[in-house]
Amino acid sequence: SKEGYPHFMIKEIHESPKAVRDTISSLVSDLDVVEKISEEIRQAERVIITGAGTSYHAGLYFSLLLSREGLTAIPLVASEYYNLKGRKGDLVVAISQSGETIDVLLSIRKLKSEGAKIVSITNVIESAIARESDYKVYMRAGPEIGVAATKTFTTQVATLLFLYSYTFGKEWKSLKEADKEVEQAINLTEGFTKRIGEELSKKASVYYLGRGLSLPLAMEGALKIKEVSYVHAEAYPAGESKHGPISLVESGFPVVFINDGEMPELLKNNVMEMKARGGKIFTISVNKKIGEADTEVFLSSKFPVLSISPVIQLIAYYAAVSKGLDPDKPRNLAKTVTVE
Ligand code: F6R
């Protein structure tokens, strides 16, 4: 039941702190598995990260973390699996909320037959993808009814951040408190996100721009608003936007910048470029402001990715609701995609 919420999507966004808390405690209570997966990651010649849609974006985020450590990390859109030949020494990390997405299943089957080992991260115990994996990680996000992935994306990213931090000797224990950052982000931005969502809902098209670890979030922000509110949205690496996309920007064209605090000066250049063409600028900033925006949502957080995740989801939710759409049942979409 929706327990008093008008839609599952908003209920499930609000369940994200608990989903993250339960998932991190489950990982902490089973460090043996985490240790084994960490060994595999450290020893792998290549780490291939496969997933579809939102889960692909979580995987892209993970691949950036690993590449920054010098690993050969290859993000793979699951449905494009035939473009990659696997081999011994490959470790595949398959990310799927449902654990049943056919493209992901086919990608792991192919890579496994070519010699790869498989780690799966799913939210459903003994799902098809989990059953065919050498190592299984289960998220504890609880059931997700809304078609759009919300709490499960935040939980995927938390799980991947945990695996990364553990593997590379970073401070993983502080992730036990990560749910508080998620909760705070939701509580502090409901008003802002409602206003931004309403404004974007009136637009035909919107850009989401980010750099570095914010790029997968920009991609996810664009996917989410497109999916539930039918506002056309595209994501680009912010620096890439001047190589073509900027020609669309004219007076009032909305541009959402995702700023995880890592490169605010570089992002500011891109903000200025968009502003000079009359772009309407929204920034979601963590820890460091960019300034110059029409609206800047600002948060402080130890885990920027986990704070930004619910914010982009809330914007998409409010955009859908202000158009009178049912965000739980976007047209043409099914919760689990079992056809190729
Ligand atoms: C978007 C969305 C889809 C799924 C994709 C993969 O909100 O929900 O893009 O992320 O279909 O699904 P899973 O994670 O179940 O493999």
Side-chain angles (χ1 to χ4, degrees):
S1 100
K2 293 182 200 152
E3 291 165 22
Y5 287 97
H7 302 100
F8 282 108
M9 184 174 175
I10 188 72
K11 171 176 180 267
E12 288 164 357
I13 293 172
H14 279 269
E15 286 169 350
S16 306
K18 181 177 178 344
V20 167
R21 184 164 64 244
D22 292 351
T23 299
I24 298 293
S25 28
S26 152
L27 287 163
V28 170
S29 72
D30 200 0
L31 282 180
D32 282 357
V33 175
V34 173
E35 176 58 37
K36 284 189 191 122
I37 295 170
S38 293
E39 281 289 294
E40 295 284 356
I41 293 174
R42 282 190 290 257
Q43 285 168 11
E45 279 166 34
R46 308 189 298 180
V47 181
I48 299 163
I49 303 120
T50 185
T54 292
S55 297
Y56 169 75
H57 295 151
L60 181 60
Y61 173 79
F62 190 54
S63 79
L64 296 175
L65 291 176
L66 299 186
S67 330
R68 285 176 169 206
E69 297 295 329
L71 265 66
T72 302
I74 305 172
L76 176 67
V77 170
S79 59
E80 289 289 314
Y81 61 88
Y82 35 75
N83 288 317
L84 187 65
K85 189 164 168 68
R87 55 181 191 232
K88 217 166 157 282
D90 282 345
L91 182 70
V92 174
V93 178
I95 305 169
S96 172
Q97 183 283 127
S98 62
E100 303 290 341
T101 301
I102 191 76
D103 294 327
V104 182
L105 196 55
L106 294 173
S107 74
I108 65 171
R109 276 187 191 151
K110 172 178 185 283
L111 293 163
K112 196 175 183 176
S113 75
E114 292 164 337
K117 283 187 200 166
I118 316 290
V119 177
S120 64
I121 300 175
T122 67
N123 194 37
V124 179
I125 302 214
E126 286 303 295
S127 51
I129 290 165
R131 281 200 309 270
E132 298 195 22
S133 309
D134 300 292
Y135 303 94
K136 310 166 214 281
V137 175
Y138 291 116
M139 307 193 297
R140 309 283 164 169
E144 190 175 66
I145 313 289
V147 162
T150 54
K151 62 176 176 174
T152 58
F153 175 71
T154 310
T155 308
Q156 284 169 343
V157 174
T159 303
L160 295 163
L161 202 49
F162 187 92
L163 285 179
Y164 160 77
S165 305
Y166 188 93
T167 304
F168 294 96
K170 316 271 178 202
E171 232 296 61
W172 56 268
K173 287 190 178 135
S174 55
L175 275 159
K176 288 193 237 175
E177 308 285 310
D179 60 295
K180 299 200 176 65
E181 309 275 7
V182 181
E183 182 145 36
Q184 201 183 38
I186 296 170
N187 291 340
L188 293 177
T189 64
E190 286 259 19
F192 267 116
T193 53
K194 190 157 190 270
R195 269 205 297 118
I196 298 172
E198 276 167 12
E199 206 164 328
L200 294 180
S201 76
K202 295 180 201 130
K203 305 285 187 177
S205 188
V206 47
Y207 282 155
Y208 277 72
L209 305 180
R211 282 175 179 263
L213 298 172
S214 291
L215 177 60
L217 289 164
M219 293 168 75
E220 179 56 15
L223 173 61
K224 207 101 300 178
I225 195 166
K226 177 158 49 191
E227 179 183 15
V228 300
S229 78
Y230 315 148
V231 172
H232 171 252
E234 269 188 283
Y236 280 96
E240 183 72 357
S241 63
K242 56 182 171 293
H243 300 281
I246 197 166
S247 70
L248 247 69
V249 178
E250 55 184 358
S251 181
F253 190 98
V255 186
V256 179
F257 280 87
I258 311 293
N259 165 30
D260 66 0
E262 196 180 46
M263 289 173 266
E265 288 79 20
L266 278 173
L267 278 173
K268 189 172 178 165
N269 295 342
N270 306 123
V271 168
M272 299 308 287
E273 288 157 6
M274 294 295 165
K275 252 183 94 158
R277 273 91 191 165
K280 179 107 209 231
I281 314 295
F282 303 88
T283 54
I284 301 162
S285 289
V286 179
N287 297 333
K288 288 193 183 132
K289 291 193 180 175
I290 314 183
E292 303 291 344
D294 293 276
T295 305
E296 182 157 27
V297 178
F298 181 75
L299 292 163
S300 301
S301 175
K302 270 191 254 171
F303 305 106
V305 64
L306 300 182
S307 298
I308 294 167
S309 175
V311 176
I312 54 180
Q313 295 166 0
L314 286 166
I315 291 172
Y317 172 75
Y318 286 116
V321 170
S322 65
K323 285 174 87 168
L325 299 167
D326 178 356
D328 290 343
K329 293 192 196 70
R331 65 188 175 209
N332 308 337
L333 291 173
K335 182 70 183 160
T336 305
V337 181
T338 51
V339 289
E340 254 186 277

